[in-house]
Amino acid sequence: MGADHDGNLPRDATVADYLVARLAEWGVHRYYGYPGDGINGMTSALQRAEGRARFIQVRHEETAGFAAGAHVKYGGGPLGCVVVTSGPGAIHALNGLYDAKLDHQPVVALLGHTALPAEGGGYYQEVDLLSLYKDVASAFLAQLDDPSQARHLVDRACRTALARRTVTALVLPSDVQDLPAVPHPPHAHGYYHTSAVPSSEPTVPPEADVRRAAEVLRGGERVAMLVGQGALGAEDEVRRIADRLGAGVATALLGFTAVDHRQPWVTGAIGLLGSRPSWQLMRECDRLLIVGSQMPYSEFYPPEGQARAVQIDIDGTRMGLRYPTEVNLTGDAGPTLRALLKELGPGPGPTAWRATLADATGKWRASQREVAAQPADPVNPQSLFAALDDALPDDAMLAVDCGTATAWYARHVRVRPGMLASLSGTLLSMGGGMPYALAAKFAHPDRPVIALLGDGAMQMNGVNELITVAKYWREWADPRFVVLVLNNRDLAFVSWEQRSGEGTPMFPDSQDLPDVAYHRWAEVLGLGGELVDSPTRVDGLWQRVLDADRPVVVNAVVDPAELMLPPHFTVEQARKTAAAVLRGDSDRAGIVRRGVPAALATYRPRRRGR
């Protein structure tokens, strides 16, 4: 990024040309979107940019919003960017942009709009975008009405998105986009001269606060760490401080790649889809160190008063919101953890606590393998994820959708250093998996990507975005783009929430899904297709699809009755689930068939060393 350059603009440059050049100074070179007349000036400017900027045409503007946030998550660049047309285009993009906002990803949205003279006249596609976007882009939202505004509006939008890690938006009237550019506003009253240099961020808290945090943690005999996406990039520091404190480490799903899940002291995911060792970690700890996480389920933290707690987060406003912390360290995870290590001094942490956690974690993993190996009708979905864990390439990128796929990913896939993985972590939106996979692949076209989807998400937008895969895959250095679809003809996650939360049976009118031959659709598009409708087809599956010379869709016909057992199944949840079965749940036979052996394998006491 440079400062105050005009990007070598030609003399006849338009406002849109200048926007593309200025955004490039902020590191924006890839734009996700869909064209329309409200944004024609911008798409024309991107065409003229010739290699300095790239427009990625997706099938729906919602995908553009998802992909822009995922672009940052997968290391594609410092800022994501969406460019969509007026009215319906801007409306469609909102869900993906909310995903970026809630997961704190810096994204700039460029929204086409009605020409200035027609505003207020009820013109086609005229929508009050300043009102519509005032929540998702509350940190900075402005309409560009005069070419001399372009410089300071772009700079403020980018600076704010980066500094606050959020979504900002610029409304661009269609006629203004084609006006002559003004890269250097007059040196006069009412004009601004801004810079394209990002602001520095807080890195290390004051030494006295770090010392107080060390004093709190140093006395712990049973230390727990909760690691979230704020720890990404600080993997070595997380490992070193966990060793120093003798801590067990649980991870929020967005922070999965911050630790090596093969380590016995990594207890895995936390929360409703988490592991029993993570539940035990929080129920028995006497100290808690939260690093870059805002995991919201309060029942999965230690009971109030049990543990003394320290939190590290780059945003001071998010401290102490989930657990009553004693010391809050505002700073970037890496340098803050290094400062904390220095204050703690040498010495290994409690080995007995770690041995206890390692024993619990080993037993849990063995039980999950046992559950994955159990027979189902026709295919046990967990077996696909256990097999994936064994076959993952070291440089794999994983994109996970919301639903039962999330649960099996959290339980079975041991992410390790060098891998990239993400999902819609806070909005928990269905339909994010395929846009995430696309963004990952454009960020790293030389690495394999695996998208893990349920059939609900696949039907929502996955079938359409396969067309995007078919459009672009031949330009990728590594053609491996695998889409696993869990085809159980059921919105299974909703069905299980309904059973355990409401005590009512699965509602077919609401949750039944059509059975679609997803592998055949892939073949129509010139991609690979693989049908897995028998346990015998699971053997060697991942090797087959990862050896393919093109993207592959795996249509896995899996058992809809496969139970999602939480790490701590309460009496009330059991009562309501039983009530749903007794009230005539359409999957009651399968629930009994799968539930008894799965529960026995998951919850029965296991002999030490097994």
Side-chain angles (χ1 to χ4, degrees):
M1 298 180 191
D4 301 336
H5 300 302
D6 60 12
N8 297 316
L9 289 169
R11 291 189 178 183
D12 60 349
T14 66
V15 168
D17 290 319
Y18 178 72
L19 292 174
V20 172
R22 194 67 174 183
L23 284 162
E25 294 189 55
W26 285 96
V28 176
H29 300 285
R30 187 175 298 128
Y31 297 73
Y32 287 95
Y34 202 81
D37 61 352
I39 206 75
N40 276 349
M42 281 300 301
T43 51
S44 296
L46 289 168
Q47 183 179 21
R48 290 189 291 268
E50 291 188 56
R52 290 178 286 117
R54 178 85 187 274
F55 181 82
I56 303 297
Q57 182 207 79
V58 293
R59 312 275 63 78
H60 194 281
E61 291 92 350
E62 179 187 39
T63 294
F66 276 124
H71 168 85
V72 183
K73 287 186 174 185
Y74 288 94
L79 273 168
C81 193
V82 171
V83 55
V84 293
T85 193
S86 54
I91 294 167
H92 287 163
L94 278 171
N95 190 57
L97 291 173
Y98 269 106
D99 176 60
K101 176 185 173 77
L102 269 60
D103 278 356
H104 309 290
Q105 301 304 309
V107 171
V108 176
L110 305 177
L111 314 172
H113 193 42
T114 306
L116 285 176
E119 284 187 21
Y123 199 73
Y124 286 120
Q125 298 187 337
E126 184 179 2
V127 171
D128 185 355
L129 295 181
L130 292 174
S131 295
L132 182 68
Y133 270 70
K134 67 181 180 181
D135 179 43
V136 73
S138 57
F140 184 74
L141 169 64
Q143 180 168 312
L144 197 164
D145 289 334
D146 186 279
S148 64
Q149 294 176 288
R151 177 169 156 181
H152 76 259
L153 290 185
V154 168
D155 290 348
R156 281 201 68 191
C158 294
R159 188 184 314 283
T160 304
L162 288 167
R164 299 191 181 178
R165 301 198 62 80
T166 191
V167 173
T168 60
L170 297 179
V171 177
L172 309 176
S174 58
D175 55 334
V176 176
Q177 297 170 42
D178 289 322
L179 292 176
V182 180
H184 302 288
H187 185 68
H189 182 73
Y191 294 93
Y192 299 109
H193 302 83
T194 53
S195 76
V197 176
S199 305
S200 64
E201 295 182 352
T203 54
V204 183
E207 187 176 334
D209 291 338
V210 177
R211 187 176 302 115
R212 286 198 303 125
E215 290 169 358
V216 169
L217 295 170
R218 192 181 288 115
E221 295 182 358
R222 300 182 305 279
V223 181
M225 291 177 64
L226 171 56
V227 171
Q229 69 171 338
L232 299 179
E235 293 82 0
D236 184 59
E237 289 85 353
V238 168
R239 177 189 56 78
R240 289 169 58 202
I241 204 159
D243 286 342
R244 170 60 186 85
L245 295 171
V249 178
T251 58
L253 288 176
L254 286 174
F256 240 44
T257 57
V259 293
D260 185 345
H261 287 256
R262 298 169 300 182
Q263 295 294 331
W265 44 269
V266 175
T267 60
I270 193 170
L272 292 173
L273 305 182
S275 71
R276 286 187 70 195
S278 290
W279 168 265
Q280 177 182 340
L281 176 73
M282 294 296 168
R283 301 302 293 181
E284 298 179 6
C285 69
D286 62 6
R287 298 291 189 278
L288 173 62
L289 174 59
I290 304 170
V291 185
S293 174
Q294 291 292 313
M295 194 277 295
Y297 294 132
S298 58
E299 67 271 30
F300 288 93
Y301 287 89
E304 184 173 1
Q306 172 187 300
R308 301 180 69 186
V310 172
Q311 186 168 0
I312 298 171
D313 202 293
I314 203 165
D315 184 350
T317 67
R318 299 205 295 267
M319 300 289 197
L321 293 179
R322 311 304 188 197
Y323 191 80
T325 48
E326 284 188 47
V327 183
N328 295 318
L329 301 177
T330 303
D332 187 56
T336 302
L337 288 172
R338 288 195 294 273
L340 185 56
L341 275 166
K342 184 178 178 181
E343 285 292 339
L344 285 167
T351 55
W353 171 237
R354 272 203 160 178
T356 299
L357 295 174
D359 182 61
T361 301
K363 290 175 179 177
W364 165 261
R365 290 175 179 166
S367 73
Q368 294 309 290
R369 283 277 175 162
E370 184 178 328
V371 170
Q374 291 171 352
D377 183 19
V379 174
N380 184 335
Q382 300 194 59
S383 68
L384 294 157
F385 288 76
L388 173 62
D389 182 58
D390 293 333
L392 271 178
D394 290 338
D395 60 346
M397 301 184 293
L398 296 161
V400 189
D401 217 296
C402 185
T404 55
T406 320
W408 312 141
Y409 161 74
R411 298 285 175 88
H412 293 288
V413 178
R414 293 172 299 168
V415 176
R416 50 191 183 268
M419 294 181 181
L420 296 172
S422 199
L423 70 165
S424 177
T426 310
L427 188 60
L428 302 177
S429 176
M430 284 177 62
M434 280 291 283
Y436 272 44
L438 284 165
K441 196 66 176 179
F442 279 109
H444 305 285
D446 58 342
R447 297 178 62 169
V449 66
I450 300 165
L452 306 171
L453 280 67
D455 47 2
M458 190 63 178
Q459 292 182 17
M460 185 172 284
N461 62 12
V463 291
N464 292 327
E465 294 308 332
L466 271 184
I467 301 173
T468 308
V469 175
K471 175 181 172 69
Y472 289 108
W473 75 268
R474 289 175 178 83
E475 71 179 55
W476 297 330
D478 184 332
R480 290 178 293 177
F481 189 112
V482 181
V483 181
L484 171 66
V485 184
L486 300 180
N487 182 3
N488 55 19
R489 293 76 60 205
D490 178 18
L491 291 173
F493 198 103
V494 178
S495 296
W496 282 111
E497 288 179 321
Q498 194 167 313
R499 292 171 182 127
S500 63
E502 301 292 330
T504 56
M506 183 267 199
F507 181 30
D509 288 356
S510 166
Q511 283 116 258
D512 267 355
L513 293 174
D515 187 4
V516 176
Y518 304 103
H519 61 299
R520 296 297 187 201
W521 172 232
E523 291 169 352
V524 167
L525 295 173
L527 310 177
E530 178 99 15
L531 176 63
V532 177
D533 57 358
S534 164
T536 60
R537 294 293 297 165
V538 178
D539 295 337
L541 167 68
W542 292 108
Q543 194 61 52
R544 293 195 301 273
V545 297
L546 288 169
D547 284 345
D549 63 352
R550 65 193 60 214
V552 179
V553 173
V554 177
N555 180 16
V557 184
V558 298
D559 195 334
E562 188 68 12
L563 269 72
M564 288 196 310
L565 295 171
H568 179 67
F569 201 44
T570 66
V571 173
E572 182 66 9
Q573 287 171 324
R575 184 189 67 78
K576 288 182 175 180
T577 302
V581 173
L582 292 173
R583 289 171 182 164
D585 195 293
S586 59
D587 282 335
R588 59 187 178 275
I591 292 170
V592 173
R593 170 177 49 78
R594 287 297 300 124
V596 172
L600 286 174
T602 299
Y603 293 119
R604 72 167 177 257
R606 303 181 68 86
R607 295 188 302 276
R608 185 174 294 273
R610 180 175 174 182

